[in-house]
Amino acid sequence: MNILLKSAKIVCPENKDLHLKKRDILIKKGVIEKIGATVDAPSNIKVVEKENLHVSLGWFDSSVSFGEPGFEERETIANGLFTAGKSGFTDIVLNPNTHPVPDTSSDVVFLKERGQGKATKLYPLGTLTKNAEGIDLAELFDMRNAGAVAFFDFKKQISNPNLLKIALLYAQNFDGLVYSFPQDGDIKGKGVANEGEISTKLGLKGIPALSEELQIARDLYILEYTGGKLHIPTISSAGSVKLIAEAKKKGLDVSCSVAVHNLFFSDETLVGFDTHFKVSPPLRTKSDCKALIKGLKNGTIDFVTSDHIPMDIEHKRVEFDNAKNGSLGLESAFGSLNTIFELDETISLLTKGRERYQIDSPKLEEGAKACLTLFNPEGEYVFETNDVLSTSKNSMFVGATLKGKVYGIIHNDLSTL
């Protein structure tokens, strides 16, 4: 693949010589051959000229769900990776919420093979326990050797504290990363929305922030005892930010993420009982949103994720109590973040996180393999259903005003432009 990007404004704070400079970028056979003020186009090369073209290092998303195997009607791996690429993501971590779940090395190999030959690279998670049932540890070491980057019983709490203790101790033998979903199921009960004024007015059963914070506090105590590497995905409350900040001050090896929708929306959006806004953890208050944004800015929260979860219409077009959790997020991730943060901050958030999974970070320099995202950061627009590229259409961002458009990616000697 040979491409010449013309007059691309480079957004790369790591490279002070190129940051915010307009340059031509010549890419040959997937490698950045030349970066210059003016680069003449060789023969037989694709020249890319776009309105207000900006380019950055390829974006990374640590929480993406598809459907294959088992739920292909929601999303296949092929179309999911195409959607990720068109949304600007060169690398994604795939959640283990399939049927069957990936709890053996052969399952991980299957997922990696299904992701071969695409512009966006897929990094699978394996489950922490067999069948994600929370009883016995799965084949963690074998899955790690097969390519699993971490271990997670998707959106399920680890009820047994001793299981988490053993997992953290065992995973240290191969520098493995253990996930723990921050929700105490007994306190959550049958809750479907954030416990507060809005849920009370609407008559919806509440999920108190305590259910998240109590689980996190327990897990951090266990981590302090065992050592090891713990990741807490998609936190949602101000109290959680405070707990993790205190743990990091102690020197604990803990990381966390937040979903874009928990920054962009509050529980006030539930007034219409729209099931697209039913997610786990739930949308919380505006003050929680502010605390999460502050946590990202000061580094307490390590990275942001789309928490992309395709869900078929049969599980969304029902009563709020009965609807399944989840919203699409890949297609709207950049446009929503770009309305909250300055451009440099947005790109920093979208490019960080790989090191936690021991994934090599790309470079934007001559001689490096091309791992680039192309976009226009300007221009507001209303996100519509026809902006959704996923097979499922369950996006809570439909109707929201976003800022900026993604053109595509160049990665793995392939392009989605």
Side-chain angles (χ1 to χ4, degrees):
M1 179 193 67
N2 300 324
I3 291 179
L4 176 62
L5 305 180
K6 295 294 290 184
S7 299
K9 191 170 187 178
I10 296 171
V11 184
C12 186
E14 299 86 354
N15 190 327
K16 294 181 180 179
D17 293 332
L18 292 176
H19 184 49
L20 300 182
K21 303 284 177 43
K22 273 194 175 183
R23 294 289 186 268
D24 291 355
I25 304 174
L26 177 63
I27 299 164
K28 283 190 174 182
K29 296 181 179 179
V31 175
I32 300 173
E33 184 172 284
K34 187 172 180 60
I35 302 173
T38 302
V39 177
D40 294 329
S43 58
N44 299 319
I45 196 165
K46 179 180 179 179
V47 178
V48 175
E49 295 181 273
K50 300 280 188 181
E51 181 183 356
N52 196 28
L53 177 60
H54 285 58
V55 63
S56 74
L57 292 172
W59 301 344
F60 172 76
D61 194 335
S62 64
S63 180
V64 174
S65 302
F66 296 144
E68 186 180 1
F71 304 110
E72 287 85 355
E73 72 280 4
R74 298 176 184 174
E75 190 68 281
T76 62
I77 289 175
N79 192 67
L81 291 175
F82 169 78
T83 299
K86 293 295 286 185
S87 302
F89 293 92
T90 56
D91 303 273
I92 61 104
V93 173
L94 185 66
N95 288 317
N97 56 332
T98 54
H99 183 72
V101 295
D103 61 357
T104 68
S105 57
S106 59
D107 296 326
V108 172
V109 169
F110 168 81
L111 293 171
K112 286 179 67 68
E113 289 180 346
R114 295 293 288 173
Q116 290 294 316
K118 304 295 190 293
T120 298
K121 189 165 184 180
L122 179 157
Y123 295 91
L125 294 174
T127 61
L128 185 68
T129 64
K130 293 179 181 178
N131 296 315
E133 292 175 344
I135 299 173
D136 299 309
L137 286 183
E139 300 173 2
L140 305 188
F141 181 65
D142 288 346
M143 287 193 289
R144 170 63 181 274
N145 288 339
V149 294
F151 310 101
F152 183 25
D153 288 353
F154 181 73
K155 302 282 186 179
K156 294 180 179 179
Q157 71 170 106
I158 302 175
S159 299
N160 182 352
N162 192 53
L163 182 68
L164 178 61
K165 184 195 80 170
I166 293 170
L168 286 166
L169 288 169
Y170 175 61
Q172 290 178 57
N173 292 299
F174 50 91
D175 199 26
L177 178 62
V178 173
Y179 274 51
S180 180
F181 184 62
Q183 192 169 80
D184 184 300
D186 292 325
I187 292 179
K188 171 186 176 289
K190 295 181 179 179
V192 295
N194 177 58
E195 183 179 85
E197 182 181 347
I198 300 296
S199 64
T200 302
K201 285 181 178 179
L202 299 178
L204 296 173
K205 296 182 180 68
I207 305 173
L210 176 67
S211 67
E212 176 171 309
E213 293 155 12
L214 190 64
Q215 187 82 4
I216 289 175
R218 185 206 74 170
D219 293 348
L220 292 174
Y221 271 115
I222 294 172
L223 178 65
E224 188 171 8
Y225 177 82
T226 60
K229 294 165 60 176
L230 178 67
H231 180 65
I232 301 173
T234 58
I235 66 171
S236 67
S237 79
S240 297
V241 178
K242 184 177 179 181
L243 285 167
I244 292 166
E246 291 170 351
K248 288 188 172 184
K249 286 179 181 177
K250 291 181 181 179
L252 301 185
D253 193 351
V254 59
S255 57
C256 67
S257 64
V258 62
V260 177
H261 51 249
N262 283 102
L263 307 173
F264 195 86
F265 295 108
S266 73
D267 58 355
E268 293 180 8
T269 60
L270 302 182
V271 171
F273 294 97
D274 187 342
T275 59
H276 289 112
F277 293 96
K278 187 180 180 185
V279 288
S280 179
L283 301 176
R284 299 206 185 270
T285 65
K286 286 185 176 179
S287 61
D288 287 309
C289 294
K290 291 178 181 177
L292 294 167
I293 291 169
K294 183 178 179 181
L296 279 169
K297 289 187 174 186
N298 65 28
T300 299
I301 302 175
D302 296 271
F303 34 91
V304 69
T305 173
S306 70
D307 203 27
H308 180 87
I309 303 176
M311 194 60 62
D312 48 87
I313 194 170
E314 289 82 2
H315 289 108
K316 279 295 185 180
R317 192 173 288 178
V318 293
E319 298 83 357
F320 199 92
D321 282 358
N322 297 325
K324 287 191 177 294
N325 294 306
S327 172
L328 302 179
L330 284 170
E331 299 97 321
S332 52
F334 172 66
S336 52
L337 282 174
N338 200 34
T339 66
I340 301 171
F341 300 96
E342 296 296 326
L343 180 59
D344 280 13
E345 292 177 309
T346 297
I347 298 306
S348 177
L349 291 172
L350 288 168
T351 53
K352 70 192 298 192
R354 290 177 174 88
E355 62 282 351
R356 188 60 171 166
Y357 299 88
Q358 299 182 33
I359 298 170
D360 291 338
S361 295
K363 297 182 183 300
L364 209 167
E365 59 186 31
E366 292 180 357
K369 290 183 178 180
C371 179
L372 305 174
T373 298
L374 283 65
F375 59 96
N376 177 358
E378 300 300 328
E380 290 189 346
Y381 71 103
V382 176
F383 188 81
E384 302 288 358
T385 303
N386 58 16
D387 293 310
V388 175
L389 302 174
S390 301
T391 302
S392 297
K393 304 300 177 185
N394 59 304
S395 174
M396 70 169 73
F397 286 90
V398 171
T401 299
L402 308 183
K403 181 184 176 185
K405 287 276 192 177
V406 178
Y407 292 127
I409 63 171
I410 300 171
H411 189 221
N412 289 335
D413 201 14
L414 296 167
S415 167
T416 63
L417 296 172

